[in-house]
Amino acid sequence: MSLHLIIGDKRLSSWSLRGALALALTGAKYTEELVRLDQPDTREKLLKYSATAKVPLLKTEFGVIADSLAIAEYLAEQFPDAGLWPRDVAARAQARSACAQMHSGFFAIRSHMPFDLLRDAPLVPMPAEVQAEIQRMLALWAECRAAATEAGPYLFGRLSLADVFFAPVAVRLRTYQVALPEVDAAYVETIYQWPAFKAWQQAGLEETAR
């Protein structure tokens, strides 16, 4: 199977991170192409692959798949033995619900807390709508843990696409120095210790150093 992932800057592109982490769960080999964002030729380069002109994009033998959630579902379908979703039916439904909520919501967090692996400073002042979304986020994580049927440090015990979709949130919570309950701080640390995430983080910081 030929898989080619088109991404944006690793330091800044949370959506690209999701595409790469989803591929990491499959264990499949793939090639990667980085298109620098916010450049004069960015849109032109991305339009060669998709009319969305957005990342991530996954080029497959069946065509180009746009959008991180569509990429995740495609990979779950193509690699059923990798177990990208939880095995339990109820847990799997909750995982899909959580990912969809993340994918289509939390606009205050996105707007006021841009993804940046290099950031290390609190958001001052913290807008009320951001604080409300953070609390909803933590409640959603608790709902995932409550639905889990397997043991482990991730949202559903073992790694799943839920962790893929919430990894960028973990980054925001850490880089904006948000104080968290112990269980949620431990989850953020778990994401930071995930080898696939650590590799992405290192590459993102090296981009800045160049």
Side-chain angles (χ1 to χ4, degrees):
M1 182 181 296
S2 175
L3 297 169
H4 181 65
L5 183 67
I6 298 97
I7 60 172
D9 306 61
K10 292 186 176 182
R11 173 187 162 187
L12 302 172
S13 181
S14 61
W15 296 105
S16 296
L17 171 61
R18 291 184 173 101
L21 293 180
L23 275 162
L25 288 185
T26 70
K29 293 183 178 180
Y30 68 96
T31 53
E32 180 181 281
E33 178 181 346
L34 191 150
V35 176
R36 295 295 306 275
L37 302 176
D38 300 320
Q39 301 298 309
D41 61 348
T42 298
R43 180 173 175 80
E44 180 184 353
K45 287 182 176 180
L46 292 176
L47 283 173
K48 292 190 302 181
Y49 294 105
S50 168
T52 67
K54 294 181 179 179
V55 290
L57 298 164
L58 184 64
K59 188 176 181 181
T60 77
E61 58 192 292
F62 304 108
V64 175
I65 303 170
D67 189 273
S68 58
L69 188 56
I71 289 170
E73 288 288 12
Y74 172 80
L75 294 174
E77 183 181 80
Q78 292 297 310
F79 298 91
D81 294 338
L84 272 62
W85 291 116
R87 296 183 182 91
D88 179 76
V89 173
R92 188 163 62 249
Q94 175 61 34
R96 280 196 163 101
S97 173
C99 289
Q101 290 178 62
M102 179 68 255
H103 186 265
S104 62
F106 297 96
F107 299 113
I109 289 177
R110 298 185 200 279
S111 176
H112 293 281
M113 302 172 71
F115 183 90
D116 185 346
L117 289 169
L118 197 60
R119 183 185 172 90
D120 187 21
L123 178 62
V124 181
M126 173 75 76
E129 62 268 29
V130 175
Q131 187 60 51
E133 285 194 357
I134 290 174
Q135 292 307 309
R136 173 56 194 143
M137 181 71 64
L138 301 184
L140 186 56
W141 287 2
E143 292 167 14
C144 292
R145 287 190 288 264
T149 59
E150 300 180 66
Y154 295 95
L155 288 178
F156 288 90
R158 65 178 181 83
L159 268 168
S160 74
L161 286 170
D163 305 296
V164 166
F165 274 81
F166 287 103
V169 180
V171 171
R172 287 180 167 98
L173 294 175
R174 174 161 291 190
T175 57
Y176 286 84
Q177 300 180 1
V178 177
L180 297 172
E182 184 177 351
V183 64
D184 299 304
Y187 175 64
V188 170
E189 179 61 21
T190 294
I191 293 297
Y192 268 77
Q193 295 305 314
W194 180 3
F197 172 79
K198 290 177 74 172
W200 178 279
Q201 179 190 32
Q202 182 62 38
L205 297 178
E206 288 175 355
E207 282 176 3
T208 303
R210 294 193 190 108

